[in-house]
């Protein structure tokens, strides 16, 4: 594969990453924040696949499998904390849950 | 000896920790017994520590292309294991007031230590990523462990979101570097045009994104905002772990990356790191001045300390690695002591930690030895001579001066000057009259004596190393010489 195709693939990954990042920053609902986090991590996974395709080596795919596993673990603990947040404080708004300052 | 067995021998300390984690899982399935779980955790970590020391005569072992066990790795494995053991000792009396399942805490602690050990030995992006996540993911659970207190749950959630974003940045940066060089090993990250060619935009962006993630984990300015909140909300033993093990492992990795990856020889990048270091030490110290919560204060002070450490990356002098090893060892020893006292005063757990400075007013008249230990730790953090903090600071100053980085030398001196104010304030408060509303430190019985012994040992070590630092310096020198490949 030539250099050009990596630019396209990386461009798509960067776009997804940026969308996810914007979502994490502006969303106040923690459920959506977690979803945007997943988008960011998976965008990085896509970037690894693209890079692996350029060098036609399995390293990129191996990293992708690691990323999937870790993203699942993050989602699991994130949802667990989300449930507790809803149960204890009756809110999943990230600003309402925030008390510590300074 | 054949090669496979040699590699297994080299990886023995983390394997022992991993085995004890598996053992803990099995034990918990059969019976819940807190003393047994605690004994297994501490036993496993101690065995790993013995194995680490026993590996010293073996010399560098390359464990698959992913890990390298050299003296540098062994030195930091030792630091990590000692710090984890101290955290376990502080957790025992702290959790005795926690009316829920306490046993899982030790599993999380050991898993996190395993991640830290993997991170220190990593020389490949795969092991870097797995190590960092194995360090971070159990930490989310540990920060939110006392989830019925609002602050703990909030801190856990904040840490999880921000840490996840940092991981995503790290991954994307690694993907860019991999796309540009076709390699995941640190030493093969060579610009496409050859060793001397300029790094292209892909690589600069890649290393920049990785730097964002790692500076977040090290809580350096401008990614420091989470630190005081998470330290305040986290249970005291977990804050101890965050400030010591997590920082040590990530910094050891960052140094290995900068020493072994050719793309980091970039003047622009090094200047950027220097600016981050200067900003961290000034902002960290200035913000610490107006804190009344001791955990927040220590959080800000850790930002400043990591700023001092970062100057060694910019200097790149021959002494740098030795300086980092000495400084990190002294910083970990002192932070363990300071957080340990906070943890002991807050033990047993009763909803909210006694971290406000009023709880420490007149501590000397209630628990004299604890108060004196705390005073020694404060002197050491401030870098007063005859404590080991001074040795560390001396190394940092000599490295920056040897490389002619006068602006960073100035920053370290100004930062230390500001820091004196708040460290001495805490020290003075320990000996003032005790107010009526201060929470009385209680002896919880279970494991309290162990935790106190740990604090006393740390205080004694702080003074001894300050007067006679030769053994530590020799060890660190060996660690510095043999980093490579």
């Amino acid at each position: 594969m030539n250099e050009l195709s990596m630019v396209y693939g990386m461009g798509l990954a960067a776009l997804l990453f940026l969308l996810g990042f914007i979502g994490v920053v502006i969303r106040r609902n923690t459920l959506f924040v977690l979803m945007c986090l997943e988008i960011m991590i998976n965008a990085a996974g896509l970037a690894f696949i693209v890079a692996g395709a350029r060098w036609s080596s399995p390293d990129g795919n191996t990293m992708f499998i690691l990323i999937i596993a870790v993203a699942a673990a993050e989602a699991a603990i994130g949802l667990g904390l989300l449930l507790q947040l809803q149960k204890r404080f009756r809110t999943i708004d990230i600003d309402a849950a925030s008390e510590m300052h300074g | 000896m054949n090669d496979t067995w040699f590699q297994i021998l080299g990886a023995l300390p983390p394997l022992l920790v991993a085995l004890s984690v598996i053992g803990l899982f099995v034990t918990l399935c059969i019976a819940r017994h807190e003393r047994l779980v605690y004994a297994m955790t501490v036993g496993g970590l101690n065995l790993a520590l013995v194995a680490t020391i026993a590996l010293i005569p073996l010399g560098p072992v390359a464990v698959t292309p992913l890990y390298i066990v050299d003296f540098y790795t062994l030195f930091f494995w030792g630091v990590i294991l000692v710090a984890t053991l101290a955290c376990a000792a502080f957790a025992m009396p702290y959790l005795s007031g926690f009316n829920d399942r306490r046993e899982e805490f030790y599993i999380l602690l050991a898993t996190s230590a395993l991640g830290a050990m993997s991170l220190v030995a990593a020389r490949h992006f795969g092991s870097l990523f797995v190590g960092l996540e194995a360090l971070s993911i159990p930490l989310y659970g540990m920060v939110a462990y006392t989830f019925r207190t609002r602050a703990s749950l909030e801190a856990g959630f904040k840490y999880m979101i921000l840490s996840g974003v940092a991981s995503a940045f790290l991954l994307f940066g690694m993907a860019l570097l991999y796309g540009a060089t076709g390699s995941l090993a640190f030493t093969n990250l060579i610009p496409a045009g050859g060793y001397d060619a300029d790094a292209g935009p892909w690589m600069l962006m890649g290393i920049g994104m990785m730097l964002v993630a790692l500076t977040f984990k090290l809580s350096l300015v401008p990614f420091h905002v989470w630190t005081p909140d998470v330290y305040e909300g986290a249970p005291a033993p977990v804050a101890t772990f965050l400030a010591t093990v997590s920082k040590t492992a990530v910094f050891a990795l960052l140094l290995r990356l900068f020493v072994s990856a050719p793309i980091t020889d970039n003047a622009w990048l090094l200047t950027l790191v220097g600016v981050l270091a200067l900003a961290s030490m000034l902002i960290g110290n200035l913000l610490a001045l107006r804190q009344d919560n001791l955990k927040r204060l220590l959080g800000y002070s850790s930002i400043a300390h990591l700023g001092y450490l970062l100057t060694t990356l910019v200097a790149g002098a021959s002494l740098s690695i030795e300086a980092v090893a000495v400084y990190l060892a002294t910083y970990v020893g002192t932070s363990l002591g300071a957080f340990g006292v906070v943890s002991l005063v807050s033990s047993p757990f009763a909803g909210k930690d006694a971290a406000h400075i009023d709880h420490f007013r007149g501590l000397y008249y209630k628990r004299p030895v604890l108060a004196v230990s705390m005073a020694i730790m404060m002197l050491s953090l401030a870098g007063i001579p005859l404590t080991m903090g001074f040795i560390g600071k001396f190394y940092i100053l000599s490295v920056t001066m040897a490389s002619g980085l006068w602006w960073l030398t100035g920053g370290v001196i100004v930062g230390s000057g500001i820091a004196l104010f708040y460290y001495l304030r805490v020290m003075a408060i320990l000996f003032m009259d005790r107010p009526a509303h201060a929470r009385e430190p209680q002896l919880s019985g279970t494991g309290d004596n162990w935790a106190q012994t740990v604090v006393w040992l740390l205080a004694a070590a702080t003074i001894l190393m300050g007067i006679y630092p030769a053994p530590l310096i020799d060890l660190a020198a060996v660690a510095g010489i043999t980093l490579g490949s």
Side-chain angles (χ1 to χ4, degrees), chain B residues 15-233:
Chain B
L15 285 178
L16 284 170
V17 178
L19 277 178
S20 70
V21 170
I22 296 169
L24 286 173
F25 273 120
V26 174
T27 315
L28 271 189
C29 292
I30 299 166
R32 271 187 181 274
H33 192 290
E34 196 191 356
R35 304 292 283 200
L36 180 66
V37 167
Y38 180 72
M40 281 179 72
T41 316
V42 172
L45 290 170
N46 268 315
L47 275 178
L49 192 59
V50 171
T52 305
I53 294 166
L55 279 177
I56 292 174
L58 199 63
V61 186
V63 182
T64 68
L66 298 177
Y67 297 105
I68 172 103
V69 180
D70 48 17
F71 291 110
Y72 178 82
T73 310
L74 290 175
F75 182 86
F76 285 107
W77 277 358
V79 173
I80 285 167
L81 286 168
V82 169
T84 312
L85 278 167
C87 291
F90 298 145
M92 179 74 170
Y94 184 86
L95 288 177
S96 66
F98 181 62
N99 294 321
D100 207 326
R101 302 189 162 168
R102 303 173 199 150
E103 291 83 2
E104 278 83 354
F105 186 86
Y106 301 105
I107 298 184
L108 294 174
L109 188 74
T111 316
S112 205
L114 184 63
M117 292 172 84
S118 152
L119 201 54
V120 169
R123 56 165 176 170
H124 186 276
F125 283 159
S127 46
L128 190 172
F129 175 63
V130 170
L132 194 67
E133 294 305 320
L135 169 70
S136 304
I137 292 179
L139 260 173
Y140 309 153
M142 278 156 77
V143 170
Y145 202 77
T146 56
F147 59 92
R148 288 198 182 78
T149 22
R150 181 161 190 151
S152 174
L153 189 56
E154 182 191 333
F157 204 82
K158 275 184 182 168
Y159 187 60
M160 194 213 72
I161 297 286
L162 294 173
S163 195
V165 171
S167 298
F169 268 91
L170 183 81
L171 284 171
F172 208 93
M174 294 195 308
L176 287 174
L177 285 178
Y178 175 52
T181 62
S183 162
L184 289 169
F186 292 174
T187 41
N188 295 339
L189 296 174
I190 300 164
Y195 215 92
D196 297 320
D198 276 339
W202 292 98
M203 300 193 73
L204 277 184
M205 219 153 75
I207 195 84
M209 287 180 90
M210 282 186 75
L211 206 59
V212 167
L214 294 175
T215 47
F216 167 84
K217 295 278 179 190
L218 293 171
S219 65
L220 291 158
V221 174
F223 307 105
H224 66 287
V225 190
W226 60 276
T227 318
D229 283 358
V230 171
Y231 279 34
E232 187 191 344

Side-chain angles (χ1 to χ4, degrees), chain A residues 1 6-8 10 13 16 19 21 27 29 40-42 44 53-54 66 71 75 77 81-82 87-88:
Chain A
M1 242 187 252
M6 189 172 95
V7 175
Y8 284 128
M10 282 292 182
L16 277 172
L19 282 175
F21 185 66
R27 280 285 189 170
N29 185 323
M40 280 178 84
I41 294 176
N42 283 304
R54 177 188 173 192
L66 291 178
I77 197 160
L81 289 178
L82 185 82
K87 205 166 144 193
R88 308 272 158 214

Side-chain angles (χ1 to χ4, degrees), chain A residues 32-92:
Chain A
F32 282 93
V33 171
L34 282 179
M35 284 162 80
C36 292
L37 199 59
E38 292 298 304
I39 294 176
M40 280 178 84
I41 294 176
N42 283 304
L46 176 63
F48 264 110
I49 296 282
V50 172
R54 177 188 173 192
W55 297 103
S56 40
S57 89
D59 286 356
N61 303 15
T62 318
M63 284 300 285
F64 184 70
I65 293 171
L66 291 178
I67 291 170
I68 287 289
V70 165
E74 288 231 11
I77 197 160
L79 289 173
L81 289 178
L82 185 82
L83 283 177
Q84 286 299 329
L85 211 60
Q86 166 67 15
K87 205 166 144 193
R88 308 272 158 214
F89 310 125
R90 299 274 153 220
T91 178
I92 49 170

Side-chain angles (χ1 to χ4, degrees), chain B residues 346-392:
Chain B
S346 311
S347 299
F349 168 76
K352 202 168 191 303
D353 285 351
H356 194 272
I357 204 149
D358 275 346
H359 295 296
F360 290 83
R361 202 177 288 266
L363 187 68
Y364 178 71
Y365 305 105
K366 291 286 170 192
R367 300 277 286 272
V369 185
L370 270 191
V372 170
S373 307
M374 186 70 167
I376 293 172
M377 296 308 167
M378 286 296 139
L379 288 175
S380 181
L381 281 174
I384 304 286
L386 292 186
T387 60
M388 64 180 175
F390 173 73
I391 311 292

